[in-house]
């Protein structure tokens, strides 16, 4: 039984991930999305996402991105936060 794509990627360092993803994208360009998905034991949607990022950004697009949100709508204002800190230190 072959390992799933996510299981393979999780155990790799960043440089190895780039090489693996580059192989995946290259295979997809040569043989197609579905064939690459079968070869790398993942879903076509995953392959399409990496191909799309590679086309848009080149090799840099194959790097991991932060999953941290760009903004936090429920975050308190800075003035309110300072008041809380002041009350806690008393």
């Amino acid at each position: 039984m072959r390992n799933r794509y996510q299981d393979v990627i999780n155990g790799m360092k960043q440089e190895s991930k780039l090489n693996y993803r580059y192989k995946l994208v290259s295979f997809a360009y040569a043989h197609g999305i579905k064939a690459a998905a079968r070869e790398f034991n993942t879903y076509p949607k995953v392959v399409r996402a990496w191909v799309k990022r590679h086309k848009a950004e080149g090799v840099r697009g194959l790097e991991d991105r932060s999953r941290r949100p760009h903004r936090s709508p429920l975050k308190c204002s800075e003035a309110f936060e300072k008041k809380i800190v002041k009350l806690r230190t008393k």
Side-chain angles (χ1 to χ4, degrees), residues 47-69:
V47 178
R48 278 189 205 98
W50 288 117
V51 168
K52 181 181 175 183
R53 281 177 56 174
H54 183 261
K55 283 181 180 178
E57 303 173 35
V59 177
R60 301 263 326 180
L62 302 178
E63 293 177 355
D64 284 337
R65 291 183 181 167
S66 172
R67 292 173 166 254
R68 182 178 172 208

Side-chain angles (χ1 to χ4, degrees), residues 32-82:
I33 300 291
K34 289 183 181 179
R38 281 191 298 271
E39 181 68 25
F40 287 86
N41 200 21
T42 189
Y43 298 102
K45 185 175 181 178
V46 172
V47 178
R48 278 189 205 98
W50 288 117
V51 168
K52 181 181 175 183
R53 281 177 56 174
H54 183 261
K55 283 181 180 178
E57 303 173 35
V59 177
R60 301 263 326 180
L62 302 178
E63 293 177 355
D64 284 337
R65 291 183 181 167
S66 172
R67 292 173 166 254
R68 182 178 172 208
H70 295 290
R71 59 186 176 86
S72 180
L74 300 177
K75 186 176 179 179
C76 300
S77 67
E78 200 170 317
F80 185 69
E81 193 175 323
K82 286 180 182 180

